[in-house]
Amino acid sequence: MSGEKRDVLAELGLGDLRPYLRSIGDKDRIFPKAHRIEVVFLVRAANYLLLRTEGAGTINMTTLEYSGGAMEVPVIQPQKLMAVTRRQMLQLLREYRDSLDEVSKRWFVQEVIGKAKDLGFKKVSEEWNCTIQPPLAEFGEKATDIGMDGFCPHCTIFGAALTEQHNEKFGGLSIGIKTRVRFDPAFATQRRITPETHNKVTEGHLSMTGQALFSEVHVEPGTVFIGRAELVDLTEPELVATLYSLATLRELGGRSGIYGTVRVEILGVKAGKYASTTAYDLAAENAGKGYEEVKKNLKERLEKLGFTPVDNSKLLAAVDHKDPNGLFKDLWRSSIDFAEKMVKWVEELKGGGQKGSGKKSRSKKAEPEESEEE
């Protein structure tokens, strides 16, 4: 469905964030400023979770020190949170693509795909499909993220390593787009873990029971984790889409097709130049407490820290990612604008910014405002 464009930030009571957001069309938006938006959220296990980095039988644990002592608790590594959030955004982008009507599809092909071709990006087609997993290396090259296209919102927000494989205008340069979404580890407030015995063959249409049994340590359902992220230099559609991607996560951890069901609840956001807290500090203040008490305490603590509360249900209701003229259309506009600024900056570098001492300079036109640099 489509209709009058919604002001999602206003609906959520987050209009005060706008001075800390970047603008689509801003000539300096690829260069960082000191502004950031902190997001505090809860991750609640709705099923057994398998949180491990490598190796069977163990999960990621860490020591949580608090006023009453210390205890080992499960932890969700920041790279895991990053991976599932960016995959969720990629899924939402694909659903937006698949929902386009003929008029919207023409706009997408002309204004997004056509622009990407003009900018020299190589992985472009009318049936856009960016992928995270890199293919095998070819012709002696290293296996990098050449599955990514480099110009979609998933790449420009969460980062990508780009080479001449991605863009013909790079001319031998390697460009790294840094992620603008940074996660703390998410710490559980209780040590709720249990070993479970499984059959080695658990997937597929046919399986035999009673053979190749093994044990895994799982986080128990109901365990609550306190997470925090910093969103840096995002435009308004990028901010809302990132919050929506995080809030709609449903799976996390190893073997998430079988286990790993979660619910994510965003509790508050705060804009500023400096961090107000960390996930570790918030977890230490709530050590040993369960979901309801943690949620109540966090809301009170975040209010004291100057966070604006977020109503998770309102966030989910305010965004229709399949609306062809809604938020995700603006998200694509923002992304292709970022890609255009990046390619033009590379062309400036190649045109005279690397002479003499080898220092990379940029023209005065591309200089960020001194007063807003950190």
Side-chain angles (χ1 to χ4, degrees), residues 266-300:
I266 299 175
L267 295 184
V269 299
K270 181 182 179 182
K273 289 191 174 183
Y274 307 100
S276 302
T277 186
T278 67
Y280 185 92
D281 292 336
L282 296 174
E285 293 172 4
N286 290 276
K289 297 178 174 63
Y291 170 73
E292 293 296 341
E293 192 174 2
V294 168
K295 184 176 177 179
K296 177 179 178 294
N297 291 347
L298 269 185
K299 286 185 174 182
E300 294 175 355

PDB file of all heavy atoms in Angstrom, residues 266-300:
ATOM      1  N   ILE A 266      13.639  -2.243  21.522  1.00  0.00           N
ATOM      2  CA  ILE A 266      14.402  -1.003  21.666  1.00  0.00           C
ATOM      3  C   ILE A 266      13.755  -0.171  22.772  1.00  0.00           C
ATOM      4  O   ILE A 266      12.556   0.091  22.745  1.00  0.00           O
ATOM      5  CB  ILE A 266      14.438  -0.228  20.338  1.00  0.00           C
ATOM      6  CG1 ILE A 266      15.132  -1.078  19.265  1.00  0.00           C
ATOM      7  CG2 ILE A 266      15.166   1.106  20.506  1.00  0.00           C
ATOM      8  CD1 ILE A 266      15.119  -0.456  17.883  1.00  0.00           C
ATOM      9  N   LEU A 267      14.576   0.272  23.733  1.00  0.00           N
ATOM     10  CA  LEU A 267      14.042   0.983  24.890  1.00  0.00           C
ATOM     11  C   LEU A 267      14.243   2.487  24.816  1.00  0.00           C
ATOM     12  O   LEU A 267      13.411   3.249  25.332  1.00  0.00           O
ATOM     13  CB  LEU A 267      14.685   0.460  26.178  1.00  0.00           C
ATOM     14  CG  LEU A 267      14.399  -0.992  26.546  1.00  0.00           C
ATOM     15  CD1 LEU A 267      15.029  -1.319  27.885  1.00  0.00           C
ATOM     16  CD2 LEU A 267      12.901  -1.258  26.577  1.00  0.00           C
ATOM     17  N   GLY A 268      15.344   2.941  24.211  1.00  0.00           N
ATOM     18  CA  GLY A 268      15.586   4.378  24.193  1.00  0.00           C
ATOM     19  C   GLY A 268      16.702   4.769  23.252  1.00  0.00           C
ATOM     20  O   GLY A 268      17.551   3.943  22.889  1.00  0.00           O
ATOM     21  N   VAL A 269      16.701   6.031  22.839  1.00  0.00           N
ATOM     22  CA  VAL A 269      17.744   6.582  21.979  1.00  0.00           C
ATOM     23  C   VAL A 269      18.175   7.934  22.531  1.00  0.00           C
ATOM     24  O   VAL A 269      17.409   8.636  23.200  1.00  0.00           O
ATOM     25  CB  VAL A 269      17.273   6.740  20.519  1.00  0.00           C
ATOM     26  CG1 VAL A 269      16.894   5.396  19.922  1.00  0.00           C
ATOM     27  CG2 VAL A 269      16.110   7.713  20.424  1.00  0.00           C
ATOM     28  N   LYS A 270      19.415   8.295  22.223  1.00  0.00           N
ATOM     29  CA  LYS A 270      19.941   9.589  22.657  1.00  0.00           C
ATOM     30  C   LYS A 270      20.969  10.068  21.651  1.00  0.00           C
ATOM     31  O   LYS A 270      21.856   9.321  21.249  1.00  0.00           O
ATOM     32  CB  LYS A 270      20.587   9.474  24.037  1.00  0.00           C
ATOM     33  CG  LYS A 270      21.144  10.794  24.558  1.00  0.00           C
ATOM     34  CD  LYS A 270      21.824  10.625  25.905  1.00  0.00           C
ATOM     35  CE  LYS A 270      22.398  11.959  26.389  1.00  0.00           C
ATOM     36  NZ  LYS A 270      23.112  11.803  27.690  1.00  0.00           N
ATOM     37  N   ALA A 271      20.869  11.337  21.254  1.00  0.00           N
ATOM     38  CA  ALA A 271      21.814  11.924  20.316  1.00  0.00           C
ATOM     39  C   ALA A 271      22.807  12.792  21.067  1.00  0.00           C
ATOM     40  O   ALA A 271      22.475  13.416  22.078  1.00  0.00           O
ATOM     41  CB  ALA A 271      21.077  12.754  19.270  1.00  0.00           C
ATOM     42  N   GLY A 272      24.021  12.849  20.563  1.00  0.00           N
ATOM     43  CA  GLY A 272      25.034  13.690  21.186  1.00  0.00           C
ATOM     44  C   GLY A 272      26.395  13.468  20.557  1.00  0.00           C
ATOM     45  O   GLY A 272      26.522  12.789  19.539  1.00  0.00           O
ATOM     46  N   LYS A 273      27.425  14.045  21.180  1.00  0.00           N
ATOM     47  CA  LYS A 273      28.786  13.884  20.680  1.00  0.00           C
ATOM     48  C   LYS A 273      29.572  12.821  21.435  1.00  0.00           C
ATOM     49  O   LYS A 273      30.614  12.381  20.977  1.00  0.00           O
ATOM     50  CB  LYS A 273      29.530  15.219  20.768  1.00  0.00           C
ATOM     51  CG  LYS A 273      29.047  16.261  19.766  1.00  0.00           C
ATOM     52  CD  LYS A 273      29.983  17.451  19.729  1.00  0.00           C
ATOM     53  CE  LYS A 273      29.596  18.433  18.631  1.00  0.00           C
ATOM     54  NZ  LYS A 273      30.536  19.570  18.529  1.00  0.00           N
ATOM     55  N   TYR A 274      29.081  12.447  22.620  1.00  0.00           N
ATOM     56  CA  TYR A 274      29.818  11.509  23.451  1.00  0.00           C
ATOM     57  C   TYR A 274      28.887  10.406  23.943  1.00  0.00           C
ATOM     58  O   TYR A 274      27.690  10.607  24.096  1.00  0.00           O
ATOM     59  CB  TYR A 274      30.451  12.235  24.651  1.00  0.00           C
ATOM     60  CG  TYR A 274      31.288  13.418  24.265  1.00  0.00           C
ATOM     61  CD1 TYR A 274      30.782  14.713  24.368  1.00  0.00           C
ATOM     62  CD2 TYR A 274      32.588  13.250  23.780  1.00  0.00           C
ATOM     63  CE1 TYR A 274      31.546  15.814  23.997  1.00  0.00           C
ATOM     64  CE2 TYR A 274      33.355  14.333  23.407  1.00  0.00           C
ATOM     65  CZ  TYR A 274      32.833  15.615  23.516  1.00  0.00           C
ATOM     66  OH  TYR A 274      33.590  16.688  23.147  1.00  0.00           O
ATOM     67  N   ALA A 275      29.472   9.251  24.230  1.00  0.00           N
ATOM     68  CA  ALA A 275      28.697   8.132  24.744  1.00  0.00           C
ATOM     69  C   ALA A 275      28.262   8.407  26.179  1.00  0.00           C
ATOM     70  O   ALA A 275      29.020   8.953  26.983  1.00  0.00           O
ATOM     71  CB  ALA A 275      29.522   6.856  24.675  1.00  0.00           C
ATOM     72  N   SER A 276      27.053   7.999  26.511  1.00  0.00           N
ATOM     73  CA  SER A 276      26.509   8.208  27.854  1.00  0.00           C
ATOM     74  C   SER A 276      26.720   7.009  28.755  1.00  0.00           C
ATOM     75  O   SER A 276      26.799   7.150  29.977  1.00  0.00           O
ATOM     76  CB  SER A 276      25.007   8.492  27.775  1.00  0.00           C
ATOM     77  OG  SER A 276      24.739   9.613  26.986  1.00  0.00           O
ATOM     78  N   THR A 277      26.791   5.827  28.157  1.00  0.00           N
ATOM     79  CA  THR A 277      26.882   4.610  28.952  1.00  0.00           C
ATOM     80  C   THR A 277      27.405   3.490  28.062  1.00  0.00           C
ATOM     81  O   THR A 277      27.751   3.713  26.896  1.00  0.00           O
ATOM     82  CB  THR A 277      25.501   4.244  29.539  1.00  0.00           C
ATOM     83  OG1 THR A 277      25.633   3.129  30.415  1.00  0.00           O
ATOM     84  CG2 THR A 277      24.493   3.913  28.434  1.00  0.00           C
ATOM     85  N   THR A 278      27.480   2.297  28.604  1.00  0.00           N
ATOM     86  CA  THR A 278      27.858   1.106  27.832  1.00  0.00           C
ATOM     87  C   THR A 278      26.922  -0.031  28.209  1.00  0.00           C
ATOM     88  O   THR A 278      26.286  -0.008  29.270  1.00  0.00           O
ATOM     89  CB  THR A 278      29.308   0.666  28.119  1.00  0.00           C
ATOM     90  OG1 THR A 278      29.397   0.197  29.471  1.00  0.00           O
ATOM     91  CG2 THR A 278      30.287   1.812  27.901  1.00  0.00           C
ATOM     92  N   ALA A 279      26.865  -1.040  27.360  1.00  0.00           N
ATOM     93  CA  ALA A 279      26.043  -2.211  27.671  1.00  0.00           C
ATOM     94  C   ALA A 279      26.566  -2.912  28.918  1.00  0.00           C
ATOM     95  O   ALA A 279      25.782  -3.436  29.723  1.00  0.00           O
ATOM     96  CB  ALA A 279      26.026  -3.168  26.482  1.00  0.00           C
ATOM     97  N   TYR A 280      27.875  -2.908  29.097  1.00  0.00           N
ATOM     98  CA  TYR A 280      28.460  -3.565  30.274  1.00  0.00           C
ATOM     99  C   TYR A 280      28.008  -2.879  31.558  1.00  0.00           C
ATOM    100  O   TYR A 280      27.608  -3.540  32.525  1.00  0.00           O
ATOM    101  CB  TYR A 280      29.988  -3.549  30.180  1.00  0.00           C
ATOM    102  CG  TYR A 280      30.663  -4.309  31.302  1.00  0.00           C
ATOM    103  CD1 TYR A 280      30.981  -5.650  31.162  1.00  0.00           C
ATOM    104  CD2 TYR A 280      30.979  -3.685  32.511  1.00  0.00           C
ATOM    105  CE1 TYR A 280      31.592  -6.359  32.193  1.00  0.00           C
ATOM    106  CE2 TYR A 280      31.578  -4.381  33.542  1.00  0.00           C
ATOM    107  CZ  TYR A 280      31.885  -5.716  33.380  1.00  0.00           C
ATOM    108  OH  TYR A 280      32.463  -6.412  34.397  1.00  0.00           O
ATOM    109  N   ASP A 281      28.064  -1.549  31.583  1.00  0.00           N
ATOM    110  CA  ASP A 281      27.650  -0.813  32.780  1.00  0.00           C
ATOM    111  C   ASP A 281      26.187  -1.078  33.111  1.00  0.00           C
ATOM    112  O   ASP A 281      25.821  -1.288  34.279  1.00  0.00           O
ATOM    113  CB  ASP A 281      27.866   0.688  32.579  1.00  0.00           C
ATOM    114  CG  ASP A 281      29.342   1.063  32.502  1.00  0.00           C
ATOM    115  OD1 ASP A 281      30.168   0.295  33.037  1.00  0.00           O
ATOM    116  OD2 ASP A 281      29.663   2.105  31.902  1.00  0.00           O
ATOM    117  N   LEU A 282      25.355  -1.062  32.079  1.00  0.00           N
ATOM    118  CA  LEU A 282      23.927  -1.285  32.302  1.00  0.00           C
ATOM    119  C   LEU A 282      23.654  -2.707  32.779  1.00  0.00           C
ATOM    120  O   LEU A 282      22.797  -2.934  33.639  1.00  0.00           O
ATOM    121  CB  LEU A 282      23.146  -0.998  31.019  1.00  0.00           C
ATOM    122  CG  LEU A 282      23.192   0.460  30.525  1.00  0.00           C
ATOM    123  CD1 LEU A 282      22.514   0.581  29.170  1.00  0.00           C
ATOM    124  CD2 LEU A 282      22.549   1.403  31.538  1.00  0.00           C
ATOM    125  N   ALA A 283      24.399  -3.681  32.237  1.00  0.00           N
ATOM    126  CA  ALA A 283      24.219  -5.068  32.667  1.00  0.00           C
ATOM    127  C   ALA A 283      24.700  -5.248  34.099  1.00  0.00           C
ATOM    128  O   ALA A 283      24.068  -5.970  34.893  1.00  0.00           O
ATOM    129  CB  ALA A 283      24.971  -6.006  31.725  1.00  0.00           C
ATOM    130  N   ALA A 284      25.817  -4.601  34.462  1.00  0.00           N
ATOM    131  CA  ALA A 284      26.337  -4.717  35.827  1.00  0.00           C
ATOM    132  C   ALA A 284      25.344  -4.150  36.843  1.00  0.00           C
ATOM    133  O   ALA A 284      25.203  -4.669  37.953  1.00  0.00           O
ATOM    134  CB  ALA A 284      27.678  -4.004  35.938  1.00  0.00           C
ATOM    135  N   GLU A 285      24.630  -3.094  36.458  1.00  0.00           N
ATOM    136  CA  GLU A 285      23.628  -2.503  37.350  1.00  0.00           C
ATOM    137  C   GLU A 285      22.410  -3.409  37.519  1.00  0.00           C
ATOM    138  O   GLU A 285      21.637  -3.236  38.470  1.00  0.00           O
ATOM    139  CB  GLU A 285      23.174  -1.146  36.795  1.00  0.00           C
ATOM    140  CG  GLU A 285      24.266  -0.077  36.807  1.00  0.00           C
ATOM    141  CD  GLU A 285      23.841   1.181  36.080  1.00  0.00           C
ATOM    142  OE1 GLU A 285      22.663   1.252  35.636  1.00  0.00           O
ATOM    143  OE2 GLU A 285      24.675   2.094  35.924  1.00  0.00           O
ATOM    144  N   ASN A 286      22.247  -4.373  36.603  1.00  0.00           N
ATOM    145  CA  ASN A 286      21.070  -5.251  36.644  1.00  0.00           C
ATOM    146  C   ASN A 286      21.443  -6.721  36.809  1.00  0.00           C
ATOM    147  O   ASN A 286      20.652  -7.607  36.484  1.00  0.00           O
ATOM    148  CB  ASN A 286      20.252  -5.071  35.369  1.00  0.00           C
ATOM    149  CG  ASN A 286      19.552  -3.725  35.311  1.00  0.00           C
ATOM    150  OD1 ASN A 286      18.467  -3.558  35.856  1.00  0.00           O
ATOM    151  ND2 ASN A 286      20.181  -2.745  34.666  1.00  0.00           N
ATOM    152  N   ALA A 287      22.636  -6.974  37.310  1.00  0.00           N
ATOM    153  CA  ALA A 287      23.117  -8.343  37.461  1.00  0.00           C
ATOM    154  C   ALA A 287      22.183  -9.153  38.366  1.00  0.00           C
ATOM    155  O   ALA A 287      21.761  -8.691  39.429  1.00  0.00           O
ATOM    156  CB  ALA A 287      24.519  -8.342  38.047  1.00  0.00           C
ATOM    157  N   GLY A 288      21.829 -10.347  37.895  1.00  0.00           N
ATOM    158  CA  GLY A 288      20.990 -11.252  38.664  1.00  0.00           C
ATOM    159  C   GLY A 288      19.501 -11.034  38.506  1.00  0.00           C
ATOM    160  O   GLY A 288      18.696 -11.811  39.024  1.00  0.00           O
ATOM    161  N   LYS A 289      19.106 -10.010  37.784  1.00  0.00           N
ATOM    162  CA  LYS A 289      17.684  -9.670  37.661  1.00  0.00           C
ATOM    163  C   LYS A 289      17.075 -10.297  36.403  1.00  0.00           C
ATOM    164  O   LYS A 289      17.756 -10.527  35.410  1.00  0.00           O
ATOM    165  CB  LYS A 289      17.501  -8.155  37.635  1.00  0.00           C
ATOM    166  CG  LYS A 289      17.963  -7.467  38.925  1.00  0.00           C
ATOM    167  CD  LYS A 289      17.793  -5.959  38.830  1.00  0.00           C
ATOM    168  CE  LYS A 289      18.115  -5.280  40.160  1.00  0.00           C
ATOM    169  NZ  LYS A 289      19.512  -5.467  40.569  1.00  0.00           N
ATOM    170  N   GLY A 290      15.771 -10.536  36.444  1.00  0.00           N
ATOM    171  CA  GLY A 290      15.030 -11.093  35.315  1.00  0.00           C
ATOM    172  C   GLY A 290      14.451 -10.018  34.420  1.00  0.00           C
ATOM    173  O   GLY A 290      14.600  -8.816  34.667  1.00  0.00           O
ATOM    174  N   TYR A 291      13.733 -10.462  33.388  1.00  0.00           N
ATOM    175  CA  TYR A 291      13.281  -9.570  32.315  1.00  0.00           C
ATOM    176  C   TYR A 291      12.474  -8.375  32.823  1.00  0.00           C
ATOM    177  O   TYR A 291      12.789  -7.226  32.506  1.00  0.00           O
ATOM    178  CB  TYR A 291      12.465 -10.369  31.294  1.00  0.00           C
ATOM    179  CG  TYR A 291      11.753  -9.515  30.275  1.00  0.00           C
ATOM    180  CD1 TYR A 291      12.461  -8.881  29.261  1.00  0.00           C
ATOM    181  CD2 TYR A 291      10.374  -9.350  30.332  1.00  0.00           C
ATOM    182  CE1 TYR A 291      11.806  -8.099  28.329  1.00  0.00           C
ATOM    183  CE2 TYR A 291       9.713  -8.568  29.402  1.00  0.00           C
ATOM    184  CZ  TYR A 291      10.435  -7.941  28.400  1.00  0.00           C
ATOM    185  OH  TYR A 291       9.789  -7.161  27.488  1.00  0.00           O
ATOM    186  N   GLU A 292      11.417  -8.614  33.575  1.00  0.00           N
ATOM    187  CA  GLU A 292      10.531  -7.526  33.984  1.00  0.00           C
ATOM    188  C   GLU A 292      11.266  -6.485  34.823  1.00  0.00           C
ATOM    189  O   GLU A 292      11.103  -5.276  34.629  1.00  0.00           O
ATOM    190  CB  GLU A 292       9.326  -8.069  34.757  1.00  0.00           C
ATOM    191  CG  GLU A 292       8.372  -8.911  33.920  1.00  0.00           C
ATOM    192  CD  GLU A 292       7.713  -8.112  32.798  1.00  0.00           C
ATOM    193  OE1 GLU A 292       7.703  -6.865  32.883  1.00  0.00           O
ATOM    194  OE2 GLU A 292       7.219  -8.741  31.844  1.00  0.00           O
ATOM    195  N   GLU A 293      12.085  -6.947  35.758  1.00  0.00           N
ATOM    196  CA  GLU A 293      12.828  -6.015  36.611  1.00  0.00           C
ATOM    197  C   GLU A 293      13.888  -5.270  35.816  1.00  0.00           C
ATOM    198  O   GLU A 293      14.109  -4.067  36.013  1.00  0.00           O
ATOM    199  CB  GLU A 293      13.471  -6.768  37.775  1.00  0.00           C
ATOM    200  CG  GLU A 293      14.004  -5.842  38.861  1.00  0.00           C
ATOM    201  CD  GLU A 293      14.513  -6.592  40.080  1.00  0.00           C
ATOM    202  OE1 GLU A 293      14.482  -7.849  40.071  1.00  0.00           O
ATOM    203  OE2 GLU A 293      14.947  -5.924  41.043  1.00  0.00           O
ATOM    204  N   VAL A 294      14.559  -5.974  34.913  1.00  0.00           N
ATOM    205  CA  VAL A 294      15.564  -5.329  34.070  1.00  0.00           C
ATOM    206  C   VAL A 294      14.929  -4.222  33.235  1.00  0.00           C
ATOM    207  O   VAL A 294      15.446  -3.099  33.150  1.00  0.00           O
ATOM    208  CB  VAL A 294      16.255  -6.362  33.145  1.00  0.00           C
ATOM    209  CG1 VAL A 294      17.082  -5.661  32.073  1.00  0.00           C
ATOM    210  CG2 VAL A 294      17.140  -7.287  33.964  1.00  0.00           C
ATOM    211  N   LYS A 295      13.815  -4.528  32.615  1.00  0.00           N
ATOM    212  CA  LYS A 295      13.137  -3.550  31.763  1.00  0.00           C
ATOM    213  C   LYS A 295      12.723  -2.316  32.554  1.00  0.00           C
ATOM    214  O   LYS A 295      12.930  -1.173  32.120  1.00  0.00           O
ATOM    215  CB  LYS A 295      11.918  -4.196  31.098  1.00  0.00           C
ATOM    216  CG  LYS A 295      11.201  -3.294  30.114  1.00  0.00           C
ATOM    217  CD  LYS A 295      10.065  -4.057  29.435  1.00  0.00           C
ATOM    218  CE  LYS A 295       9.277  -3.154  28.499  1.00  0.00           C
ATOM    219  NZ  LYS A 295       8.176  -3.890  27.824  1.00  0.00           N
ATOM    220  N   LYS A 296      12.148  -2.525  33.736  1.00  0.00           N
ATOM    221  CA  LYS A 296      11.721  -1.416  34.582  1.00  0.00           C
ATOM    222  C   LYS A 296      12.919  -0.561  35.007  1.00  0.00           C
ATOM    223  O   LYS A 296      12.899   0.677  34.915  1.00  0.00           O
ATOM    224  CB  LYS A 296      10.995  -1.964  35.807  1.00  0.00           C
ATOM    225  CG  LYS A 296      10.564  -0.899  36.821  1.00  0.00           C
ATOM    226  CD  LYS A 296       9.840  -1.543  37.986  1.00  0.00           C
ATOM    227  CE  LYS A 296       9.437  -0.512  39.049  1.00  0.00           C
ATOM    228  NZ  LYS A 296      10.615   0.097  39.700  1.00  0.00           N
ATOM    229  N   ASN A 297      13.988  -1.209  35.470  1.00  0.00           N
ATOM    230  CA  ASN A 297      15.177  -0.482  35.917  1.00  0.00           C
ATOM    231  C   ASN A 297      15.836   0.291  34.781  1.00  0.00           C
ATOM    232  O   ASN A 297      16.304   1.428  34.965  1.00  0.00           O
ATOM    233  CB  ASN A 297      16.193  -1.454  36.523  1.00  0.00           C
ATOM    234  CG  ASN A 297      15.730  -2.027  37.839  1.00  0.00           C
ATOM    235  OD1 ASN A 297      14.766  -1.546  38.428  1.00  0.00           O
ATOM    236  ND2 ASN A 297      16.398  -3.075  38.304  1.00  0.00           N
ATOM    237  N   LEU A 298      15.891  -0.346  33.615  1.00  0.00           N
ATOM    238  CA  LEU A 298      16.534   0.308  32.472  1.00  0.00           C
ATOM    239  C   LEU A 298      15.779   1.557  32.043  1.00  0.00           C
ATOM    240  O   LEU A 298      16.388   2.583  31.718  1.00  0.00           O
ATOM    241  CB  LEU A 298      16.641  -0.663  31.297  1.00  0.00           C
ATOM    242  CG  LEU A 298      17.926  -1.489  31.200  1.00  0.00           C
ATOM    243  CD1 LEU A 298      17.909  -2.311  29.917  1.00  0.00           C
ATOM    244  CD2 LEU A 298      19.158  -0.601  31.229  1.00  0.00           C
ATOM    245  N   LYS A 299      14.477   1.484  32.000  1.00  0.00           N
ATOM    246  CA  LYS A 299      13.698   2.652  31.612  1.00  0.00           C
ATOM    247  C   LYS A 299      13.972   3.816  32.553  1.00  0.00           C
ATOM    248  O   LYS A 299      14.139   4.969  32.113  1.00  0.00           O
ATOM    249  CB  LYS A 299      12.206   2.315  31.596  1.00  0.00           C
ATOM    250  CG  LYS A 299      11.778   1.468  30.414  1.00  0.00           C
ATOM    251  CD  LYS A 299      10.270   1.274  30.389  1.00  0.00           C
ATOM    252  CE  LYS A 299       9.823   0.556  29.128  1.00  0.00           C
ATOM    253  NZ  LYS A 299       8.343   0.400  29.075  1.00  0.00           N
ATOM    254  N   GLU A 300      14.042   3.536  33.846  1.00  0.00           N
ATOM    255  CA  GLU A 300      14.328   4.594  34.815  1.00  0.00           C
ATOM    256  C   GLU A 300      15.745   5.123  34.648  1.00  0.00           C
ATOM    257  O   GLU A 300      15.978   6.338  34.710  1.00  0.00           O
ATOM    258  CB  GLU A 300      14.132   4.054  36.230  1.00  0.00           C
ATOM    259  CG  GLU A 300      12.683   3.694  36.551  1.00  0.00           C
ATOM    260  CD  GLU A 300      12.537   3.038  37.914  1.00  0.00           C
ATOM    261  OE1 GLU A 300      13.582   2.778  38.568  1.00  0.00           O
ATOM    262  OE2 GLU A 300      11.379   2.778  38.332  1.00  0.00           O
TER     263      GLU A 300
END
